[in-house]
Amino acid sequence: LASADGLVRIGLKKRPIDENNRIAARLVEKEEGPLLAARRYGLR
Amino acid sequence: GAPLKEGEETDIIALKNYMNAQYFGEIGIGTPPQKFTVIFDTGSSNLWVPSSKCYFSIACLFHTKYKSGRSSSYHKNGKSASIHYGTGAISGFFSTDHVKVGDLVVKTQDFIEATKEPSVTFVVAKFDGILGLGFQEISVGNAVPVWYNMVDQGLIKEPVFSFWFNRNANDGEGGEIVFGGADPNHYKGNHTYVPVTQKGYWQFEMGDVLVGGQSTGFCNGGCAAIADSGTSLLAGPTTIIAEINQKIGASGVVSQECKAVVAEYGQQILQMLLAEVQPGKICSSIGLCTFDGKQGVSAGIESVVNKDTRRSAAGLSDAMCNVCEMAVVWMQNQISQNQTQELIFNYLNQLCEKLPSPMGESSVDCSSVASMPDISFTIGGKKFSLKPEQYILQVGEGYAAQCISGFTALDVPPPRGPLWILGDVFMGAYHTVFDYGNMRVGFADAA
């Protein structure tokens, strides 16, 4: 929150990387994989 | 070659992976404020949250939804909007309302009420929406970003904001974003500033990347980099990520194309490098790429991976061109280290096995972390190093512990690339100042 020095501070919460998120990330990779692979080789 | 529609030119955004985003903050929208958890994302420029009119997306069931009917400061806009991320898309319509950030109230802010969030990304996401801190140039619908309104409405002292991510796993505090300046408690020494080179993203010019003090060569001539708080990992050119993977023992994906290029063209590439042929022309000389004066581009030729079943798939030949260009860089580096021919080919085959999957994660052995090399990025002529404990992420504890490399591959062709995305892994080590008034980005050791 705003303080005497005129700065506006917003606290951030940190979410640890966990196994559930990793599984979800792999699902997303599968979902988006071909698109990303295509981009990797510079194809539109 | 087809003309791009509105929003489609933001193809870098399309490579973001919000799945791994780790840091969130809270904002309020409307009067009285409705609370939302958002990612403060320097790699995009729109504000969006789920709408109470989102009925058919599972993601909306799990997140707070904005109810315009409950806000006395709401103004209807209604213009439709959609944003395509690599890990999903959202669509909906624009609305206008007050946005509370800390104790500041940004008045008449345009934002997107998302009515469709079809991707699995947003179902499992721990955040409700995204608050973009990039430039208006990449804002979908040309909406004025929250940050611009904060400055225009005179809510902050200086047109600067800064990030501090707390990498101390045992500390409950996640980090802090400071609007109006930088908190001296969260950095050490002075910031090294570099100018923004491509307004839209917080993009700047970066130099060589070193692994264990040795040049990787690829960014000697300069690479672009984007400071992106909305991305967890560090993403960069496959050429360098494969070298890093080889040094840290990260498991990658075996690439047949890569091994085929080394087997069939390796000797030829080596001879040409020794004969001091311009490296950028080698892959076109052997027919894998077309030389366009600056870089190799795919010749669209047939693959010779399997001579019995010749294929003409454009993707495969593009891959061969790409792999050839990587092989040239790798070989150049090896030659400069006076390695023997045998060692050079062994090393290249090892690198082929360490080719990462694009935007995917690589596992490493947790017990080897202490012996892994530092990896340094040259920014503004200064080396910014990451120690292994800073670029390796640990999941779980004790026997269940798994270690993931903080590096992932991302290949963006010229003129936008080669490109690095410096996500939370980098911004955790270095306190980052986004100086809008002077169009520059600054890095200092995080405290």
Side-chain angles (χ1 to χ4, degrees):
Chain A
L1 298 180
S3 61
D5 57 8
L7 302 178
V8 180
R9 295 173 167 85
I10 314 290
L12 299 175
K13 287 172 276 185
K14 183 181 177 185
R15 181 215 64 180
I17 292 180
D18 59 33
E19 195 50 36
N20 286 340
N21 284 313
R22 293 183 71 206
I23 292 166
R26 281 186 212 116
L27 280 174
V28 169
E29 203 180 313
K30 202 173 165 187
E31 192 179 87
E32 304 289 339
L35 171 68
L36 293 174
R39 284 176 186 279
R40 179 181 171 208
Y41 294 115
L43 302 172
R44 292 199 69 86
Chain B
L4 295 166
K5 292 175 194 161
E6 185 180 34
E8 285 188 351
E9 68 274 25
T10 56
D11 58 342
I12 309 299
I13 283 185
L15 292 160
K16 287 176 70 66
N17 182 0
Y18 285 113
M19 184 60 63
N20 288 322
Q22 284 184 275
Y23 295 92
F24 315 107
E26 200 172 84
I27 60 163
I29 304 182
T31 312
Q34 299 170 33
K35 287 182 180 174
F36 296 93
T37 299
V38 294
I39 296 175
F40 287 94
D41 177 22
T42 58
S44 66
S45 301
N46 290 85
L47 168 62
W48 69 262
V49 292
S51 171
S52 60
K53 296 176 182 69
C54 178
Y55 304 113
F56 303 113
S57 296
I58 298 167
C60 291
L61 298 176
F62 296 105
H63 294 103
T64 309
K65 295 186 277 290
Y66 170 74
K67 299 173 187 77
S68 56
R70 292 194 187 169
S71 172
S72 61
S73 46
Y74 162 75
H75 288 280
K76 189 177 176 180
N77 177 319
K79 194 175 121 187
S80 64
S82 64
I83 306 180
H84 298 270
Y85 299 106
T87 50
I90 63 113
S91 58
F93 57 89
F94 277 102
S95 286
T96 307
D97 208 333
H98 296 351
V99 175
K100 196 163 187 275
V101 183
D103 66 347
L104 300 179
V105 178
V106 181
K107 292 182 177 165
T108 56
Q109 174 65 49
D110 288 333
F111 65 99
I112 298 169
E113 281 193 53
T115 53
K116 283 182 191 163
E117 299 178 24
S119 171
V120 66
T121 305
F122 301 119
V123 177
V124 295
K126 297 286 193 293
F127 55 90
D128 301 312
I130 291 167
L131 190 153
L133 291 165
F135 295 90
Q136 193 174 0
E137 279 80 352
I138 58 161
S139 171
V140 170
N142 201 34
V144 178
V146 175
W147 166 246
Y148 282 45
N149 279 330
M150 240 185 232
V151 174
D152 293 345
Q153 292 173 23
L155 302 177
I156 46 166
K157 207 168 61 172
E158 300 287 337
V160 172
F161 62 89
S162 58
F163 273 92
W164 168 68
F165 290 144
N166 186 2
R167 303 302 291 184
N168 186 350
N170 302 319
D171 197 332
E173 204 179 357
E176 199 171 75
I177 175 168
V178 176
F179 291 102
D183 186 337
N185 294 319
H186 290 152
Y187 63 89
K188 291 179 274 188
N190 294 321
H191 287 83
T192 298
Y193 285 96
V194 279
V196 170
T197 50
Q198 172 96 33
K199 202 176 164 204
Y201 302 96
W202 288 96
Q203 184 172 322
F204 54 92
E205 192 70 13
M206 199 176 80
D208 200 7
V209 177
L210 297 94
V211 181
Q214 272 194 335
S215 166
T216 50
F218 191 73
C219 290
N220 269 344
C223 279
I226 293 173
D228 185 356
S229 61
T231 291
S232 185
L233 303 180
L234 259 161
T238 300
T239 311
I240 297 179
I241 302 301
E243 287 194 60
I244 292 173
N245 281 356
Q246 199 272 337
K247 295 275 174 25
I248 66 176
S251 53
V253 176
V254 177
S255 165
Q256 284 308 114
E257 293 95 337
C258 182
K259 287 199 167 183
V261 167
V262 173
E264 295 196 30
Y265 303 101
Q267 192 61 247
Q268 217 174 328
I269 295 171
L270 182 65
Q271 294 310 320
M272 290 170 95
L273 281 171
L274 292 173
E276 296 185 346
V277 172
Q278 196 182 321
K281 290 185 175 175
I282 289 177
C283 295
S284 55
S285 303
I286 58 178
L288 289 177
C289 303
T290 303
F291 183 69
D292 70 353
K294 286 180 187 163
Q295 45 136 11
V297 292
S298 168
I301 57 160
E302 289 185 337
S303 164
V304 288
V305 172
N306 184 340
K307 285 174 180 161
D308 296 322
T309 55
R310 279 180 176 237
R311 287 177 283 169
S312 59
L316 191 54
S317 55
D318 278 356
M320 301 274 282
C321 168
N322 197 288
V323 163
C324 175
E325 289 187 329
M326 287 194 273
V328 169
V329 175
W330 293 337
M331 255 189 214
Q332 259 182 302
N333 252 345
Q334 291 295 295
I335 292 168
S336 69
Q337 291 168 32
N338 290 324
Q339 300 286 13
T340 63
Q341 186 172 314
E342 193 188 348
L343 284 174
I344 289 176
F345 284 112
N346 279 343
Y347 181 67
L348 258 66
N349 275 314
Q350 281 175 34
L351 288 178
C352 283
E353 286 174 14
K354 300 295 179 190
L355 272 183
S357 50
M359 293 303 277
E361 63 178 41
S362 306
S363 297
V364 297
D365 177 7
C366 289
S367 63
S368 308
V369 171
S371 59
M372 290 176 190
D374 287 1
I375 296 173
S376 312
F377 298 84
T378 312
I379 300 171
K382 201 183 156 194
K383 302 268 181 298
F384 289 82
S385 296
L386 294 178
K387 294 184 181 309
E389 56 271 25
Q390 291 173 313
Y391 65 75
I392 300 294
L393 310 172
Q394 188 174 311
V395 184
E397 293 292 331
Y399 290 112
Q402 292 179 65
C403 288
I404 306 166
S405 166
F407 291 93
T408 188
L410 167 65
D411 291 296
V412 177
R416 288 304 303 271
L419 178 71
W420 281 88
I421 305 288
L422 307 183
D424 300 350
V425 167
F426 187 84
M427 288 176 63
Y430 294 100
H431 180 270
T432 312
V433 172
F434 296 85
D435 185 345
Y436 181 71
N438 297 304
M439 282 296 141
R440 59 183 188 165
V441 187
F443 299 98
D445 284 333

